[in-house]
Amino acid sequence: MMMKMPWRRKSRSFHLQLQGAIGTIQSPFLFLFTNYCHSSTSTLEDARFLTNNFKSASFTRLDDAIASFNHVIHKHPLPSRAQFSRFLSALLKMKQYHTVFSMSKTIELLGISHDVYSLSILINCFCHLHLVDFGFSVVGKMLKLGLEPDVVTFTTLINGLCIESKIDKAVEFFDDMVARGYQPNVRTFNVIVNGLCKFGKTNVAIGLLKGMADRGCEPNVVTYSAIIDALCKDELAGEALELFSQMRNKGISPNVITYTSLIHGVCKFGQKNQALALMNEMVEQNIFPNVYTFNVLIDALCKDGMVSEAQNTFNVMIQRGLEPDVITYTSLIDGLCISDQFKEVLALLKEMVERNISLDVFTFNILIDTLCKKGLVSNAPNIIKIMIQRGVQPTIVTYNSMMDGYCLSNQIDKARKLFDLMVTNEIANIFSYNILINGYCKCKMIDDAKELFDEMSHKGLVPDVVTYSTLIKGMFQAGRPQNVKELFKDMCSHGQQPDIVTFSIMIDGLCRQGNLDEALTLLKAMEKSQLKPNFVIYSSLINGTCKDMTTTSPF
């Protein structure tokens, strides 16, 4: 029984728009097809090759596909609708969407009628071109031809809505499909679950997962992997591990995507040993980690200071025949730079060159940042020249690192010169200002720091908690307690919540000046904001109390 479709109400003008769009797309190709020169099929061997190429749809180049198509449309009898559809499906996989439209129109002109499968291919092309509304119009054409859309058609449209970020409409359409008696398959569920997860509606996706069995459809590894990945990205590794256990209890074997997502999730929580255990479990299950899996683990190990373990993991990756990429090397270089293993860094850079792996902006930024932090800022300009020669453009991060290096080496004039250049080119950001303000404060150029602070508002930049904390510390060191109080008051009135660093600076500064009562008042305010005092604060208060007792003692 034909169901009443909600998209039947599309206006005539919309259908004309659709026809116009297809006509515009296909006309150059039609000219090519109808005027095709037969010289390429002059021999029997060529003819057999082109026919077999069409039937098997085994081509990898668009030119070969066009040649095969033009050959078979002049044959008698013509290939069947099923053969043409299989051929168009192969073009769809090659992402040759416009060619599919053109060839489909040619097939229609040859008198071969459409079926649900061929029209679903057209819908899929429209969806991938972000023209899902045209896809719905093709469904209207199906109905006019007396064809009944199937679950594949609906799944394709749901996917098209998800591609266009219309997740609410996708869910509505899914519910409408079920209400009309169509049974979604696991592919349908996977499409809608993936869409929900992608747009932060993980709880809704979990609800769908739980209801799948009730609708006569069992979830598979793709369903679980999408939700596990979303939970890990939401930093809910515990829930992801629980779902992973449920999945295995149901006899569903995890794949490399599942394991990679979990490894990524547990690494975010600093559970490196569990990540390594998951990697070992993968190998035991004959599921081979891919480059992305290794990159996630190597990066996490390096960030946690476990560089030796990262190097061992890198070696295992090489032994398994996997080619490391620029991300692998960049993560390792970052870890080695942090642990001052510069010989190993040079060896890796040499290895990258030998493997024809170009350094990207992140690799260069790590090298420049390391040089600057190690007091070797004079080498940074040479690295930037190499960057530009290799077609890699420096970013704001590059220049901020270099400016920080100048400040650390007390070359404040060079830092200011670079900063002014950044301001002229309108790339200076809040971090740029914070770096230079900090540099001025360390050089006891407090008036310059305050002037830079005032300039921020004129540039449309709002000072953050780091800006205020840096300047407050500088004011204390310069012996300007009155300016400190004004700054702290200004900070709070502008909605910048003091953090543990701000309170530490304030309490320490007040205690050093003998203002113990004010320091204790701040401690109470800090506790009210649910911040726990740290060792620095307690030490400052103890020293301040001892100093107060000494000055007031009669002995």
Side-chain angles (χ1 to χ4, degrees), residues 150-178:
D150 60 12
V151 68
V152 174
T153 315
F154 294 128
T155 301
T156 303
L157 287 166
I158 291 168
N159 189 46
L161 289 167
C162 291
I163 288 171
E164 292 190 22
S165 304
K166 298 174 179 177
I167 189 63
D168 292 333
K169 288 185 178 179
V171 173
E172 183 182 339
F173 185 67
F174 175 84
D175 292 338
D176 187 57
M177 167 190 165
V178 174

Side-chain angles (χ1 to χ4, degrees), residues 438 465-477 484 488 499-513 519 522 526 534 536-537 540:
N438 186 49
V465 65
V466 175
T467 324
Y468 279 106
S469 298
T470 303
L471 196 53
I472 286 169
K473 185 176 181 180
M475 290 293 185
F476 266 129
Q477 290 172 342
V484 167
F488 189 76
D499 62 9
I500 189 73
V501 176
T502 322
F503 278 113
S504 297
I505 293 167
M506 286 293 297
I507 290 171
D508 182 64
L510 289 168
C511 287
R512 286 178 184 276
Q513 291 185 339
L522 263 187
M526 178 183 171
N534 58 17
V536 175
I537 291 172
S540 298

Side-chain angles (χ1 to χ4, degrees), residues 427-470:
I427 62 169
N429 59 14
I430 184 74
F431 300 104
S432 314
Y433 278 89
N434 288 348
I435 288 166
L436 192 54
I437 287 170
N438 186 49
Y440 277 136
C441 289
K442 285 190 174 180
C443 291
K444 297 182 180 179
M445 300 169 67
I446 201 68
D447 290 329
D448 294 275
K450 183 63 170 63
E451 184 182 331
L452 201 61
F453 175 84
D454 294 335
E455 183 187 307
M456 290 179 72
S457 58
H458 300 300
K459 298 288 184 181
L461 291 171
V462 179
D464 62 10
V465 65
V466 175
T467 324
Y468 279 106
S469 298
T470 303

Side-chain angles (χ1 to χ4, degrees), residues 3 5-10 14-15 18 119 122-124 126-127 131-144 149 153-162 164 166 169-174 176-177:
M3 69 178 186
M5 294 292 189
W7 47 84
R8 272 187 179 279
R9 294 188 295 273
K10 290 282 182 185
F14 185 83
H15 286 288
L18 169 68
L119 289 174
L122 290 179
I123 292 169
N124 208 342
F126 278 126
C127 289
L131 296 169
V132 68
D133 286 339
F134 286 165
F136 277 102
S137 292
V138 176
V139 176
K141 182 173 183 176
M142 272 190 192
L143 299 176
K144 285 182 180 179
T153 315
F154 294 128
T155 301
T156 303
L157 287 166
I158 291 168
N159 189 46
L161 289 167
C162 291
E164 292 190 22
K166 298 174 179 177
K169 288 185 178 179
V171 173
E172 183 182 339
F173 185 67
F174 175 84
D176 187 57
M177 167 190 165

Side-chain angles (χ1 to χ4, degrees), residues 107-118:
I107 293 165
E108 201 172 343
L109 292 172
L110 290 170
I112 297 174
S113 60
H114 280 291
D115 58 12
V116 173
Y117 179 41
S118 64

Side-chain angles (χ1 to χ4, degrees), residues 243-494:
L243 196 61
F244 181 70
S245 297
Q246 290 176 21
M247 173 184 170
R248 291 200 293 188
N249 290 337
K250 285 179 175 285
I252 300 171
S253 299
N255 60 18
V256 65
I257 297 171
T258 328
Y259 275 108
T260 302
S261 295
L262 271 177
I263 289 170
H264 195 196
V266 299
C267 283
K268 282 184 179 179
F269 280 85
Q271 299 171 3
K272 308 302 181 299
N273 290 331
Q274 188 165 13
L276 289 166
L278 282 166
M279 180 75 91
N280 291 332
E281 186 181 306
M282 283 181 76
V283 177
E284 288 170 6
Q285 298 288 330
N286 289 321
I287 300 168
F288 298 108
N290 57 25
V291 174
Y292 180 67
T293 319
F294 277 105
N295 285 351
V296 167
L297 188 54
I298 288 169
D299 185 62
L301 290 168
C302 287
K303 280 184 169 57
D304 207 40
M306 300 169 69
V307 182
S308 296
E309 289 84 348
Q311 287 176 301
N312 291 335
T313 306
F314 177 80
N315 292 333
V316 170
M317 179 181 179
I318 301 293
Q319 289 164 12
R320 290 191 168 275
L322 287 172
E323 286 290 328
D325 58 17
V326 65
I327 298 171
T328 325
Y329 281 105
T330 300
S331 297
L332 263 180
I333 287 168
D334 189 27
L336 290 166
C337 283
I338 292 169
S339 58
D340 294 338
Q341 299 182 49
F342 299 115
K343 286 184 180 178
E344 287 79 358
V345 169
L346 291 173
L348 279 180
L349 289 170
K350 183 182 177 182
E351 192 176 309
M352 286 180 76
V353 173
E354 290 171 354
R355 289 179 178 269
N356 289 321
I357 298 172
S358 300
L359 280 72
D360 63 11
V361 68
F362 300 104
T363 325
F364 277 112
N365 283 348
I366 286 167
L367 292 172
I368 289 169
D369 189 60
T370 301
L371 287 170
C372 292
K373 282 183 168 59
K374 300 298 177 185
L376 301 169
V377 67
S378 58
N379 294 306
N382 292 329
I383 302 292
I384 290 177
K385 284 180 183 177
I386 294 170
M387 279 181 79
I388 295 168
Q389 287 169 1
R390 290 181 176 236
V392 181
Q393 287 301 314
T395 65
I396 182 65
V397 175
T398 320
Y399 293 118
N400 280 345
S401 295
M402 195 168 165
M403 188 168 61
D404 191 38
Y406 283 131
C407 289
L408 289 170
S409 58
N410 294 320
Q411 299 181 60
I412 197 70
D413 291 339
K414 286 186 177 180
R416 180 68 201 222
K417 188 177 180 180
L418 180 57
F419 174 81
D420 289 339
L421 186 64
M422 291 162 69
V423 170
T424 302
N425 287 286
E426 299 182 347
I427 62 169
N429 59 14
I430 184 74
F431 300 104
S432 314
Y433 278 89
N434 288 348
I435 288 166
L436 192 54
I437 287 170
N438 186 49
Y440 277 136
C441 289
K442 285 190 174 180
C443 291
K444 297 182 180 179
M445 300 169 67
I446 201 68
D447 290 329
D448 294 275
K450 183 63 170 63
E451 184 182 331
L452 201 61
F453 175 84
D454 294 335
E455 183 187 307
M456 290 179 72
S457 58
H458 300 300
K459 298 288 184 181
L461 291 171
V462 179
D464 62 10
V465 65
V466 175
T467 324
Y468 279 106
S469 298
T470 303
L471 196 53
I472 286 169
K473 185 176 181 180
M475 290 293 185
F476 266 129
Q477 290 172 342
R480 300 187 185 180
Q482 189 57 42
N483 291 126
V484 167
K485 291 177 183 179
E486 290 172 4
L487 268 175
F488 189 76
K489 185 179 178 182
D490 183 67
M491 177 183 183
C492 297
S493 64
H494 281 84

